[in-house]
Amino acid sequence: MAEPITIATWPFGKAAVEAAMKVLARGEPALDAALAGAQAVEDDTSIRNSVGFGSLPDRLGRLTLDACVMDGRTLACGSVACVEHIRHPAALARRVMEKTPHVMLVGDGAKWFALQQGFPLEVPYTADSIKEWLDAHPDLKKKEKTGKSPVRADGAADITVNEFNHDTVTVLSLDKKGHLGGVCTTSGLGYKLPGRVGDSPIIGAGLYVDDLAGAAGGTGVGEEIIRIGGSLFIAEQMRAGKTPQEACELACKRANAAAGRRGVHPARVAFLALDPKGNVGAACTEKTNFKYAVGRGDKVEMLTAKEIGP
Ligand code: SD4
């Protein structure tokens, strides 16, 4: 019997951990727990700039969501990307895993599949999220100054990640039977270009879970995480004997080095990891200020990850 444990990204990860730990306490599987945790955050529209409905839309004001799930027992996985009007993309990703021969469905295809599976189509915007988009949209601001066209679909220059602009919850759980499960769900970077997909729904980038190695997840600038295959990299480091902490630090170094080759520093990414024995690790690149939640028994702790320089 393993001691159940759940870890999750960012301060809102606390709600995810609390929900997941209740499921684990009943002896249920890690993937069910991680999904319950992710859904608790998807459902909370009060968390500013958070995951799911109520979070920051793309440049055209459309909210498109990305999510994936992975079961460490079998490497079964499922994913949806750029899906609109679905409140629970992580649950939809699980349906892709369970009901189709595929791993990933995107855009309208994912939405049609959701309808087929009985998911309701819903309006994802809240009064606050619309106001925030209007206030912060860079092109609309430009219009105030220049009077020119308010919305452009080109140019990604303004894509930023800072400690106030986080919208991804990654939840990793270890259940009583010693199995690992993981879920990642996000609205992606705020003001992204329409159609943009980050690391979060990409198995091996935003999430990887293998009972024989460990579970890992990423958050931050998805482009940098995709470039290094962040979560698979960490899982492979654990498979080769590194601790979760060492593996996350190595991934940050690699991300910084890769970003540095394009003259970018730091990469602005963060990783967290959990091994099959219940050891936890987390690290972030400089200036990322990554906080994460760890639940063991009935305690939930908020921790700050170590920052890794070049
Ligand atoms: C993305 N990695 O879409 C996500 C963003 C994120 O906290 O993690 N924000 O690139």
Side-chain angles (χ1 to χ4, degrees), residues 10 166-168 188-189 196 198-200 219-222:
W10 303 111
H166 285 299
D167 39 31
T168 303
L189 293 182
R196 181 264 187 191
D199 61 305
S200 303
T219 181
V221 178

Side-chain angles (χ1 to χ4, degrees), residues 17-250:
V17 166
E18 285 165 356
M21 290 307 287
K22 283 187 194 145
V23 177
L24 293 177
R26 297 197 295 264
E28 290 172 28
L31 183 58
D32 292 7
L35 188 58
Q39 201 153 301
V41 181
E42 285 175 347
D43 275 339
D44 191 342
T45 53
S46 71
I47 306 169
R48 188 178 163 273
N49 291 1
S50 176
V51 177
F53 281 21
S55 53
L56 292 175
D58 69 16
R59 271 171 189 253
L60 298 183
R62 285 165 52 175
L63 185 71
T64 57
L65 305 179
D66 303 331
C68 70
V69 303
M70 189 160 186
D71 188 335
R73 287 174 300 185
T74 57
L75 305 186
C77 47
S79 158
V80 292
C82 213
V83 61
E84 266 188 290
H85 303 122
I86 301 296
R87 183 179 290 274
H88 295 134
L92 183 59
R94 186 176 187 162
R95 294 287 177 95
V96 174
M97 175 182 107
E98 288 174 344
K99 306 280 184 194
T100 81
H102 308 305
V103 166
M104 191 166 195
L105 294 179
V106 305
D108 282 347
K111 190 152 95 176
W112 284 115
F113 174 67
L115 282 175
Q116 241 178 15
Q117 290 292 313
F119 285 67
L121 292 187
E122 295 179 65
V123 175
Y125 308 102
T126 61
D128 281 350
S129 72
I130 291 170
K131 181 173 181 309
E132 194 158 336
W133 187 81
L134 289 170
D135 286 349
H137 194 289
D139 294 322
L140 288 179
K141 272 198 181 150
K142 223 168 269 167
K143 188 196 177 205
E144 278 165 27
K145 285 192 206 134
T146 64
K148 285 194 185 140
S149 168
V151 175
R152 296 181 344 223
D154 63 328
D158 296 314
I159 288 181
T160 54
V161 163
N162 59 45
E163 61 192 287
F164 309 110
N165 178 15
H166 285 299
D167 39 31
T168 303
V169 70
T170 302
V171 191
L172 308 177
S173 292
L174 174 69
D175 65 28
K176 283 187 177 168
K177 291 188 176 155
H179 298 303
L180 292 164
V183 174
C184 179
T185 181
T186 188
S187 55
L189 293 182
Y191 314 113
K192 63 192 176 186
L193 294 184
R196 181 264 187 191
V197 172
D199 61 305
S200 303
I202 298 178
I203 298 296
L207 183 75
Y208 199 78
V209 186
D210 182 350
D211 275 8
L212 304 182
T219 181
V221 178
E223 285 73 5
E224 303 293 0
I225 297 174
I226 292 171
R227 235 183 285 284
I228 64 157
S231 294
L232 181 60
F233 173 83
I234 292 170
E236 292 309 316
Q237 294 299 320
M238 292 190 285
R239 199 191 304 280
K242 295 278 190 280
T243 66
Q245 183 61 35
E246 289 166 344
C248 289
E249 291 183 19
L250 282 170

